[in-house]
Amino acid sequence: MAKGATASRTRSTRATGAGPGEPEMVQLLTPDGKRIETAQDPYGTEYTVDFTDEEYRGLYRDMVVIRKLDAEAEALQRQGELGIWASLRGQEAAQVGSGRALRPQDMAFPTYREHGVLYCRGIDPIMPLGLFRGVDQGGWDPREFNFHMYTIVIGAQTLHATGYAMGIAKDGKVGSDDGEAVIVYFGDGATSQGDVNESFVWSSVFQAPIVFFCQNNQYAISEPIERQTRIPLYQRAAGFGFRGIRVDGNDVLACYAVTRAALDNARRGQGPTLIEAYTYRMGAHTTSDDPTRYRLPTELEEWQARDPISRMRTFLADRKLADDDFFAGVDEEAKAAAQNLRERVLAMPDPDPLTLFDHVYPGGSPELDAQREQFAAYLASFEGSGH
Ligand SMILES: Cc1ncc(C[n+]2csc(CCOP(=O)(O)OP(=O)(O)O)c2C)c(N)n1
Ligand SMILES: [Mg+2]
């Protein structure tokens, strides 16, 4: 078991309800910043974390920095500098907790909203902005960072991840404490996709080393969770034959502990886990969406009281793990990172439009060459016209 988290199969302690009538979820930090020493999932596995003071502060810093970078990207879109942006606001704990639980050898498959996981993987946060500015196809090398490209097609990455997980098992990279594991991110809405359900079947019957990390942020654009399921999502795993656990997705400590344990189970050859991180999308679905059309301001207020960053701040302050100087320093650091991001986005060069044809086929093709020539002639027709 890695430093920072422990999980064992012993009796009792507690988990906490997500809301009235909702089932229990694993929680180690309450919305008012109180630390719960241990929490248990429905299978009797007990979770806790044992971070150093510096590690606790690091989780807080990560969340503050990614929230600020996210806000900067949203502002850049509003100013016409990006085509679109999908904000992660509200989901920082789910992403930092799970992202920091990954070991270097683990492979992650994101959606389009995993900017926090990307950050935890050590990828320059500028990378997805090139994609959303329309100047490149994504930018980072998935093999270098063990973090795949963003996937916009809902649920498709669960199939890629399942195939990858089956592959590493066949390659003999699974079955010990040092084994490899896969994590795949998707949303509550994605659980209605055929791809996701097929991935569950294949992963289950082949005992694939995979963690299905579902961020239930309560909405699929304007569709609320009630339109996706009549049972809590994590309970679906039982029907496919693997473990399903609901974790407080706004609790970075619980997200870390549950993800770390599920990945360790996977790398040891104990098969898949579905983690439902119960959270909330505080912003719009994307910058093309207006959430005031389909949800009440009171709902947002309720979730603001469960904010992942403020509960960690309260915890750090109450335990005297951090003082005002530390909090001010982190804010300054985040501000500087956002400013740096802005400057570099504005300086991104526009690509030559003809590079669009470069990577369609490895060796090109006569049809592609003809299309390139046609497009080049079209572009040339504007020369001297001022457009
Ligand atoms: C196959 C497919 N169908 C529809 C869409 C349009 N679409 C984009 S985001 C989205 C909702 C996804 O909701 P969820 O899975 O809950 O993820 P979230 O955006 O909330 O993180 C839809 C339907 C798509 N991108 N791909
Ligand atoms: Mg959703």
Side-chain angles (χ1 to χ4, degrees):
M1 180 64 57
K3 188 165 170 7
T6 56
S8 60
R9 287 187 184 277
T10 54
R11 278 267 54 125
S12 147
T13 62
R14 52 177 295 199
T16 310
E22 286 286 346
E24 303 226 306
M25 58 185 181
V26 177
Q27 188 183 70
L28 293 171
L29 193 61
T30 65
D32 55 356
K34 298 280 177 297
R35 178 80 166 78
I36 298 167
E37 281 314 315
T38 55
Q40 194 178 295
D41 71 19
Y43 307 90
T45 301
E46 200 170 278
Y47 299 91
T48 190
V49 289
D50 181 21
F51 288 117
T52 63
D53 296 356
E54 190 54 39
E55 286 168 336
Y56 277 127
R57 286 191 289 268
L59 293 171
Y60 173 82
R61 182 188 290 109
D62 286 342
M63 291 195 290
V64 171
V65 169
I66 62 168
R67 179 172 289 189
K68 185 75 182 166
L69 291 172
D70 182 72
E72 195 65 38
E74 200 168 64
L76 282 162
Q77 193 285 332
R78 291 295 186 229
Q79 292 158 5
E81 301 294 347
L82 300 179
I84 191 169
W85 185 250
S87 167
L88 61 67
R89 187 150 47 89
Q91 299 177 217
E92 294 86 353
Q95 297 200 13
V96 169
S98 62
R100 289 292 178 208
L102 287 162
R103 293 178 197 262
Q105 72 267 28
D106 296 339
M107 184 60 92
F109 290 79
T111 71
Y112 41 81
R113 205 185 290 285
E114 267 68 73
H115 323 306
V117 187
L118 174 138
Y119 178 84
C120 291
R121 278 323 245 170
I123 299 175
D124 185 338
I126 191 88
M127 287 301 181
L129 278 76
L131 180 69
F132 294 120
R133 192 171 165 83
V135 298
D136 64 41
Q137 311 284 349
W140 64 91
D141 176 355
R143 275 178 296 205
E144 185 185 348
F145 297 99
N146 278 7
F147 185 81
H148 267 253
M149 305 310 294
Y150 277 4
T151 302
I152 313 279
V153 181
I154 301 301
Q157 74 282 6
T158 59
L159 291 174
H160 310 156
T162 297
Y164 187 93
M166 290 169 62
I168 57 172
K170 284 187 193 300
D171 288 346
K173 295 188 172 148
V174 175
S176 76
D177 288 352
D178 299 325
E180 294 182 16
V182 174
I183 190 166
V184 58
Y185 291 86
F186 54 101
D188 43 290
T191 61
S192 299
Q193 289 288 114
D195 286 3
V196 175
N197 289 273
E198 288 158 23
S199 301
F200 287 173
V201 171
W202 280 76
S203 289
S204 175
V205 297
F206 285 96
Q207 189 80 339
I210 187 167
V211 175
F212 291 102
F213 195 91
C214 176
Q215 287 170 86
N216 175 0
N217 63 6
Q218 313 299 328
Y219 288 92
I221 316 185
S222 56
E223 289 293 297
I225 184 67
E226 294 77 24
R227 294 276 79 80
Q228 310 294 344
T229 185
R230 296 190 80 138
I231 60 160
L233 286 176
Y234 76 96
Q235 291 177 1
R236 291 217 182 139
F240 290 92
F242 53 89
R243 290 174 300 271
I245 300 165
R246 178 179 275 188
V247 62
D248 183 342
N250 285 13
D251 170 356
V252 69
L253 306 182
C255 286
Y256 180 94
V258 169
T259 310
R260 179 45 74 98
L263 284 167
D264 284 344
N265 281 336
R267 79 179 77 260
R268 290 183 196 125
Q270 290 161 16
T273 304
L274 168 63
I275 298 174
E276 178 192 1
Y278 197 82
T279 183
Y280 192 73
R281 192 195 75 213
M282 286 182 167
H285 168 71
T286 66
T287 45
S288 307
D289 170 49
D290 173 8
T292 63
R293 300 280 296 270
Y294 56 83
R295 64 187 197 190
L296 295 169
T298 47
E299 185 182 288
L300 182 58
E301 281 161 25
E302 264 174 47
W303 279 93
Q304 268 159 348
R306 305 183 209 174
D307 186 284
I309 297 183
S310 51
R311 76 173 71 178
M312 192 62 183
R313 184 182 171 124
T314 307
F315 165 73
L316 291 175
D318 286 354
R319 291 268 177 121
K320 307 218 175 330
L321 299 177
D323 57 14
D324 287 349
D325 281 353
F326 169 79
F327 293 124
V330 170
D331 288 345
E332 276 310 307
E333 200 182 311
K335 210 168 128 189
Q339 179 64 26
N340 176 271
L341 187 75
R342 163 171 293 270
E343 281 161 15
R344 289 191 297 144
V345 166
L346 299 183
M348 276 180 161
D350 281 343
D352 175 350
L354 291 175
T355 57
L356 195 66
F357 298 89
D358 283 356
H359 303 293
V360 179
Y361 297 116
S365 80
E367 291 82 2
L368 200 63
D369 291 345
Q371 284 176 24
R372 183 190 287 108
E373 267 171 43
Q374 197 182 14
F375 191 53
Y378 172 72
L379 292 174
S381 72
F382 293 104
E383 264 166 34
S385 71
H387 292 287

